[in-house]
Amino acid sequence: MPVLPPSAAVCSLASAPVDSGWILVNAFGVIAMQGGFALLEAGAARPVGAVNVMMKNIADLCMGCVGFLTLGWGLSFGGSGSSIIGWGQFFGADVTDPVLWLFHFAYASAASTIVSGAIAERMYFGAYL
């Protein structure tokens, strides 16, 4: 392991909170995009289906959180697997950086919203779940 000069070590320690803050700002921005997607889909749908579209987007966020916590993080970043897929850290075990977890969850949840927009007014809420 290379030894850093004292000034570089201080800079890396000082930038850690700034990096985490920047990642959090971006994660909350992506989560806020869920509301924009919901409004866009509700505006494109008939007024009768607006509540259905909103519930699908809320379900995407909630179910995405549960799904990413139980399986997504472990398959993406779990250790002791192959070079393609991880095999560990399921159900939130040993998540060492919750900021990165939130960031990756935000993008995984936003990706599931694409399906919600594609099937707006074409599927009942119960069948979507």
Side-chain angles (χ1 to χ4, degrees):
M1 186 168 162
V3 177
L4 298 174
S7 61
V10 170
C11 288
S12 66
L13 291 176
S15 67
V18 174
D19 291 344
S20 294
W22 179 245
I23 291 171
L24 278 175
V25 166
N26 287 311
F28 290 134
V30 173
I31 291 172
M33 286 172 34
Q34 293 277 11
F37 292 148
L39 292 174
L40 176 69
E41 293 170 23
R46 294 177 298 169
V48 175
V51 173
N52 191 12
V53 166
M54 293 293 187
M55 285 303 297
K56 285 179 186 175
N57 279 289
I58 291 172
D60 279 342
L61 193 63
C62 295
M63 299 298 283
C65 181
V66 172
F68 192 73
L69 181 65
T70 57
L71 293 175
W73 181 264
L75 292 175
S76 298
F77 300 104
S80 72
S82 67
S83 61
I84 297 173
I85 193 166
W87 196 253
Q89 297 182 0
F90 293 113
F91 299 101
D94 300 329
V95 174
T96 57
D97 194 354
V99 172
L100 281 180
W101 182 90
L102 181 70
F103 181 74
H104 289 288
F105 151 70
Y107 274 100
S109 181
S112 68
T113 306
I114 295 170
V115 176
S116 174
I119 61 167
E121 291 191 305
R122 294 180 179 92
M123 186 180 286
Y124 290 114
F125 179 70
Y128 180 73
L129 291 179

